[in-house]
Amino acid sequence: MAKVLIVDDSKFNRAILSDALKEDYTILEAENGRDALGVIELCKNDLAAILLDVIMPELGVIELQKKKKKKKYMDSFPVLIVTGEQS
């Protein structure tokens, strides 16, 4: 089964996305950008997509995208930016 990485600092938001996708994908989770890089490194060949929160602690979305691009991970799978922000 294809894997989707959900990256969000909110456990609640990760649970909602995981619940919506768990029947079709193996779900991997990370609560910040640094953890996400570790998961990406281990599973880059098996990832179908990443759902990435726009606001994260430790390593933000822009920095994470730059690191992925530098390592050429951008060519392997789509990255979908998500947010729970209402403002």
Side-chain angles (χ1 to χ4, degrees):
M1 188 178 295
K3 297 177 182 175
V4 171
L5 172 59
I6 299 171
V7 186
D8 197 310
D9 58 320
S10 166
K11 187 174 183 176
F12 178 75
N13 290 346
R14 290 194 315 267
I16 289 172
L17 292 169
S18 178
D19 192 51
L21 298 169
K22 68 183 179 187
E23 290 185 25
D24 298 315
Y25 299 95
T26 298
I27 304 300
L28 306 171
E29 295 184 19
E31 65 179 303
N32 60 56
R34 288 199 199 291
D35 291 346
L37 279 176
V39 174
I40 292 166
E41 187 71 36
L42 291 172
C43 302
K44 62 184 173 268
N45 296 326
D46 299 323
L47 287 175
I50 296 178
L51 302 180
L52 184 61
D53 184 18
V54 73
I55 301 172
M56 288 187 299
E58 293 191 43
L59 185 65
V61 66
I62 301 298
E63 293 85 10
L64 180 62
Q65 292 290 81
K66 285 179 182 177
K67 287 181 182 288
K68 285 177 38 240
K69 184 175 182 180
K70 185 177 181 179
K71 293 188 177 202
K72 305 221 186 286
Y73 297 156
M74 297 296 287
D75 301 336
S76 304
F77 44 79
V79 176
L80 307 167
I81 306 298
V82 297
T83 186
E85 288 296 309
Q86 297 181 11
S87 59

